[in-house]
Amino acid sequence: MSKRVLVIGGVAGGASTAARVRRLDEQAEIIMFEKGPHVSFSNCSLPYHLSGIVEKSEKLLMMDPVQFKKKYNIEARVFHEVVSIQKEEKTITVYDHATKQTIVEAYDHLVLSPGANPIVPKLEGIEQPHVFTVRNVVDIERLQQYVTQENVQNIAVIGGGFIGVEVAENLRLAGKNVSLIEFAPQILAPFDDDMVQILHKELLDKGMQLITNDGLASVEQQTVTLQSGKRVRADAVVLAIGVRPDTTLAEKAGLKIGETGGIAVNQNYVTSDPNIYAVGDAIEVYHQVMRRYTRLALAGPAQKQARAAADHMYGITNRHRGVIGSSSIQVFDYAAATTGINEKVARDLGIPCDSVYVIAPDKVGLMPNSQPLHLKVVFEVPTGRVLGAQAIGKGNADKRIDVIATLISFGGTIEDLKDLELSYSPMYSTAKDVVNMAALVASNVLAGRFEQVHVSEARSLVESGAYILDVREAGEVKNGMLKGAINIPLSELRERLDEIPKDEPVYVHCRSAQRSYNATVALQGAGFTRVKNMSGSYLGICLYEYYRDVTEQREPIMTKYNFK
Ligand SMILES: Cc1cc2nc3c(=O)[nH]c(=O)nc-3n(C[C@H](O)[C@H](O)[C@H](O)COP(=O)(O)OP(=O)(O)OC[C@H]3O[C@@H](n4cnc5c(N)ncnc54)[C@H](O)[C@@H]3O)c2cc1C
């Protein structure tokens, strides 16, 4: 007898499961229930409708119920909300919003992919019609229509996570005055404080108001009031403070909920009931690097879980590696991407670790559009196991992160990354790609061949009057220097060693820490024992300092910024 597979949720996880079941079993009866009007739309592309990059909202819809029936013989029932699961009887109760009727359907296998709901805090004024969330096509159409019809110019986006930043960016690209408000000291939590400052600066450069360390307190007609008491003009408000896994049905049915609040599943995405699977944003997942359960609201993992769940129904086994959490985002002119865990998370978890921050050209310097690529790699000490990486640049930051993501998936170390043989053409990369370069620096750090200080330490060094040696050439230092630094160009260093003190630490920098590394080892070779290379160097330090200097009206530690 053919199987009857019912799927709750018709988008990333739901539609993928249904399609895979069909490919495995031509005879199965597959019904997908979706409470909204659309199935199979591109959630991830929603923000791009606000700028017109995706001009028509219909383009966001990838398939409709008619196509599902014709192409896959899958019945996709929209406006059908599953209201309860009777797991003992293996049935679900469904409310049809169109006919207002309730029906009961029986299943052999049930798949839950209800996703996650945007969090809406209970605050004064939050219920007003000019307050929006962004989860589906209906939401983005409503927001877009409101902004257009009411000729809204001032918009506050609350929450600097991936969705908040993308929504804010696209509204800014549409010419709106956008204030992005984030409760934490930084946007985009997967990035460390040192890396994310590059993106903070980019938001300011593109005319956005970025407010960090402040949360929403209330919403008024034309303003929002923040917890600090500050008021920000806003004729429309977008809430993007995070999502909560939709576990309503699962909880009502008595399915086990995990420690992080997502539906608990085993390695085959089977819930605590053997006939019910769950995938996507609603579940909790095992993190390969952290070695613990977490939640990960990303489309790629949802689709892979969907396939694995369908496979399991048909006895096909899949290796379960756990997730590592790789993501990428465009922030105006920059591509930014991360994989694994960042240094803050690693330290919070008590994993002994270190990191390197390398700035290198993303392609051969003399090629058109060669741009600096900022790459941070976090690794375990002393094993060298790569824990995570973050890349930001105007070129292919995501490509570099994908390379490292692959390495992390296979449990790779700094030594593996150093030796990784990657493709090279001057137009696309350098013979020793920036990921190899970062691994070389990390392997030197790990072996104790030199010591480094991070960009976050530069301010205290300048303020405490430490001996900072700038080895850039004279022409470069005219465009800005760290206050109090001594300039001895690398090309003159060996003749001027007697000017450098031996009885105190010497902190060496150049523009991007490459020449300063050469200077550091040259000094070590000449008998200096307390030399440290300043990672990130002048470019990295300028980028790191800028946002807080501007927003906190801080005294800069450099005579002039230089972002080139
Ligand atoms: C604006 C935005 C941008 C994003 N950008 C990215 C990105 O760039 N990269 C990335 O990896 N991820 C991104 N994501 C996340 C990604 O879209 C999700 O991780 C993915 O869609 C999760 O799939 P899912 O099937 O679990 O949930 P969803 O795709 O949300 O689908 C769940 C569906 O279930 C339906 N449903 C819920 N309860 C019921 C019920 N009781 N009965 C019937 N139907 C029900 C819902 O209406 C919903 O349509 C983005 C998400 C958003 C909102």
Side-chain angles (χ1 to χ4, degrees):
M1 220 177 73
S2 62
K3 275 187 205 287
R4 196 162 205 259
V5 180
L6 304 186
V7 180
I8 305 174
V11 195
S16 302
T17 316
R20 176 66 177 163
V21 171
R22 172 56 72 231
R23 284 192 288 273
L24 292 172
D25 183 357
E26 189 53 28
Q27 266 63 51
E29 188 184 354
I30 309 167
I31 310 175
M32 196 164 71
F33 298 93
E34 168 54 56
K35 68 177 173 187
H38 307 116
V39 284
S40 197
F41 55 85
S42 175
N43 328 47
C44 310
S45 308
L46 294 172
Y48 300 94
H49 181 49
L50 299 170
S51 59
I53 291 174
V54 176
E55 200 187 328
K56 294 198 164 61
S57 60
E58 306 89 78
K59 290 259 182 212
L60 296 162
L61 306 171
M62 292 176 302
M63 219 190 279
D64 62 25
V66 176
Q67 289 168 309
F68 262 107
K69 186 70 191 160
K70 277 191 179 161
K71 289 189 182 165
Y72 296 109
N73 190 23
I74 290 169
E75 206 179 316
R77 296 191 195 163
V78 291
F79 293 120
H80 278 65
E81 181 170 0
V82 178
V83 289
S84 64
I85 302 166
Q86 297 72 238
K87 58 183 185 350
E88 281 72 28
E89 288 98 68
K90 290 173 68 177
T91 61
I92 57 171
T93 305
V94 188
Y95 180 71
D96 179 346
H97 286 270
T99 62
K100 310 220 179 313
Q101 281 182 349
T102 300
I103 46 164
V104 173
E105 296 280 1
Y107 62 81
D108 294 308
H109 297 294
L110 177 66
V111 182
L112 287 170
S113 190
N117 292 313
I119 295 172
V120 179
K122 286 196 175 69
L123 294 174
E124 202 187 316
I126 211 94
E127 309 279 343
Q128 297 178 75
H130 69 290
V131 181
F132 299 86
T133 53
V134 175
R135 180 181 178 180
N136 51 37
V137 179
V138 175
D139 292 342
I140 210 77
E141 283 172 338
R142 270 184 56 230
L143 172 59
Q144 178 69 331
Q145 258 172 28
Y146 187 86
V147 167
T148 314
Q149 282 168 6
E150 303 294 318
N151 191 23
V152 169
Q153 294 306 319
N154 302 302
I155 305 172
V157 178
I158 316 296
F162 281 87
I163 295 175
V165 171
E166 286 179 350
V167 166
E169 180 199 35
N170 281 280
L171 287 167
R172 182 72 198 135
L173 288 172
K176 307 299 171 191
N177 302 321
V178 183
S179 303
L180 178 62
I181 295 149
E182 168 55 55
F183 182 70
Q186 66 164 79
I187 60 166
L188 300 173
F191 291 89
D192 277 312
D193 170 71
D194 45 7
M195 298 299 284
V196 83
Q197 302 308 331
I198 302 169
L199 303 177
H200 285 174
K201 176 176 180 294
E202 179 68 355
L203 296 184
L204 297 191
D205 287 354
K206 292 298 186 290
M208 208 132 97
Q209 178 175 209
L210 173 62
I211 299 173
T212 45
N213 288 308
D214 212 345
L216 181 68
S218 62
V219 180
E220 299 82 40
Q221 267 305 307
Q222 290 173 332
T223 52
V224 291
T225 303
L226 306 186
Q227 289 166 1
S228 64
K230 188 177 176 139
R231 297 188 114 191
V232 176
R233 282 218 50 190
D235 303 311
V237 179
V238 183
L239 292 176
I241 60 170
V243 295
R244 191 173 286 132
D246 187 343
T247 55
T248 331
L249 278 175
E251 279 182 67
K252 254 172 58 181
L255 296 176
K256 188 176 170 215
I257 304 299
E259 62 206 55
T260 68
I263 303 170
V265 291
N266 72 6
Q267 67 278 16
N268 298 308
Y269 305 100
V270 180
T271 64
S272 52
D273 182 292
N275 303 304
I276 306 178
Y277 293 80
V279 299
D281 290 0
I283 67 168
E284 66 173 23
V285 286
Y286 187 72
H287 200 287
Q288 195 196 116
V289 181
M290 293 200 277
R291 302 216 163 104
R292 59 177 60 192
Y293 281 91
T294 185
R295 295 205 317 262
L296 189 68
L298 290 173
Q303 294 192 4
K304 285 167 195 118
Q305 293 153 12
R307 184 186 166 98
D311 282 358
H312 186 259
M313 286 175 211
Y314 290 89
I316 303 167
T317 49
N318 272 282
R319 183 165 38 184
H320 191 105
R321 286 186 187 280
V323 298
I324 57 170
S326 304
S327 56
S328 57
I329 185 169
Q330 171 187 291
V331 182
F332 293 103
D333 294 347
Y334 282 98
T338 70
T339 185
I341 57 174
N342 65 24
E343 191 169 359
K344 180 178 181 304
V345 171
R347 291 196 188 280
D348 287 350
L349 289 172
I351 302 176
C353 65
D354 204 345
S355 69
V356 290
Y357 169 18
V358 167
I359 306 172
D362 59 2
K363 57 181 90 166
V364 169
L366 48 104
M367 289 294 142
N369 291 328
S370 170
Q371 298 281 352
L373 196 117
H374 303 258
L375 176 65
K376 176 170 179 172
V377 177
V378 184
F379 51 94
E380 188 177 54
V381 176
T383 64
R385 174 171 72 116
V386 179
L387 301 171
Q390 301 150 54
I392 301 177
K394 294 184 176 169
N396 292 337
D398 55 330
K399 162 179 154 170
R400 273 57 188 223
I401 286 303
D402 286 345
V403 167
I404 300 177
T406 310
L407 186 109
I408 293 175
S409 291
F410 294 107
T413 65
I414 286 299
E415 283 300 303
D416 300 317
L417 189 60
K418 188 170 80 132
D419 296 335
L420 210 58
E421 189 184 326
L422 302 168
S423 71
Y424 160 61
S425 148
M427 279 298 200
Y428 301 124
S429 58
T430 51
K432 204 182 333 155
D433 189 72
V434 54
V435 301
N436 301 125
M437 217 107 81
L440 287 167
V441 177
S443 68
N444 284 334
V445 169
L446 207 51
R449 281 190 204 101
F450 78 102
E451 285 184 53
Q452 58 171 357
V453 290
H454 300 280
V455 285
S456 55
E457 294 167 84
R459 175 165 283 272
S460 65
L461 292 175
V462 170
E463 287 175 348
S464 63
Y467 187 92
I468 298 177
L469 179 63
D470 181 344
V471 296
R472 294 175 299 160
E473 297 302 311
E476 293 173 88
V477 300
K478 274 196 231 136
N479 295 320
M481 278 189 86
L482 289 179
K483 289 175 180 167
I486 307 295
N487 177 229
I488 303 179
L490 179 62
S491 55
E492 299 169 21
L493 187 71
R494 288 172 179 86
E495 290 89 67
R496 295 174 60 184
L497 290 177
D498 54 349
E499 294 175 38
I500 302 166
K502 276 201 162 147
D503 54 353
E504 64 174 308
V506 175
Y507 299 93
V508 192
H509 80 84
C510 58
R511 171 185 167 268
S512 65
Q514 222 173 334
R515 281 172 289 169
S516 57
Y517 169 65
N518 283 301
T520 300
V521 290
L523 288 172
Q524 285 176 177
F528 290 81
T529 53
R530 300 172 72 188
V531 193
K532 292 176 201 252
N533 191 21
M534 297 180 80
S535 91
S537 276
Y538 202 70
L539 177 56
I541 295 167
C542 287
L543 287 164
Y544 178 69
E545 290 284 309
Y546 180 80
Y547 172 70
R548 288 200 186 100
D549 286 358
V550 171
T551 54
E552 295 170 17
Q553 283 93 43
R554 248 181 6 181
E555 157 121 24
I557 56 169
M558 54 278 294
T559 56
K560 221 193 290 177
Y561 301 107
N562 189 348
F563 301 113
K564 289 198 187 118

